[in-house]
Amino acid sequence: MTTNKNKLATAIIIAALAVLTLPSSVLAQQTVAGRTELQRHDLSIPGREMVQVRVDVEKGMSFPQHTHFGEEIIYVLDGLLEYQVAGQQPVTLKAGDVLFIPYGTVHSVKNVGTTKASELATYIVEKDKPLVTLIK
């Protein structure tokens, strides 16, 4: 019985990692772990695209350390989100606040409020690369 549970858990982890490492073009218009893609467009810069995503973070939850193959521009829609950006002190943002994450910078986010929090994330990224790369 335990072996079957271990196999199921392993299969779930492998499937989740496969989804998170797919090229961003494959994830268009899908929701992944609180992320809902709103729009995606090629840019005038060859090999780059803009991706806009609504990120919902439930109370007490967080997204672990990760990076992107490009810049991320964050606009907090609701709640209180604490961002930890490599090389900086943590910063807590509320609705209406903004944050810029440079290309490849390791960062994480945690909902430190009392309700669900949401952000609008706009990415200027390399095409055909994973939108999110988790740090192990």
Side-chain angles (χ1 to χ4, degrees):
M1 190 80 160
T2 302
T3 302
N4 287 340
K5 287 182 182 178
N6 288 342
K7 287 180 181 178
L8 178 60
T10 300
I12 290 170
I13 290 169
I14 290 170
L17 289 173
V19 167
L20 289 172
T21 58
L22 284 172
S24 56
S25 59
V26 175
L27 295 175
Q29 299 301 321
Q30 294 182 13
T31 300
V32 177
R35 301 170 67 86
T36 304
E37 185 172 309
L38 303 173
Q39 63 177 327
R40 175 184 300 265
H41 301 283
D42 289 342
L43 296 176
S44 60
I45 303 165
R48 305 283 279 181
E49 66 182 345
M50 180 283 298
V51 182
Q52 199 166 54
V53 177
R54 179 185 173 107
V55 180
D56 295 306
V57 185
E58 296 297 328
K59 176 183 167 186
M61 299 302 290
S62 61
F63 284 105
Q65 289 189 328
H66 61 280
T67 62
H68 307 284
F69 284 94
E71 291 77 16
E72 179 180 10
I73 301 103
I74 297 166
Y75 177 78
V76 178
L77 299 168
D78 294 301
L80 287 174
L81 292 168
E82 180 183 89
Y83 296 88
Q84 177 63 61
V85 179
Q88 300 178 18
Q89 292 295 315
V91 61
T92 301
L93 303 180
K94 64 184 180 324
D97 290 341
V98 296
L99 182 65
F100 177 79
I101 309 287
Y103 185 114
T105 301
V106 175
H107 60 286
S108 61
V109 61
K110 180 177 182 177
N111 181 342
V112 294
T114 58
T115 62
K116 179 173 82 172
S118 301
E119 70 175 28
L120 179 64
T122 303
Y123 305 93
I124 307 299
V125 293
E126 294 181 42
K127 287 185 64 144
D128 300 322
K129 298 270 181 132
L131 186 58
V132 177
T133 302
L134 294 177
I135 304 300
K136 296 176 172 111

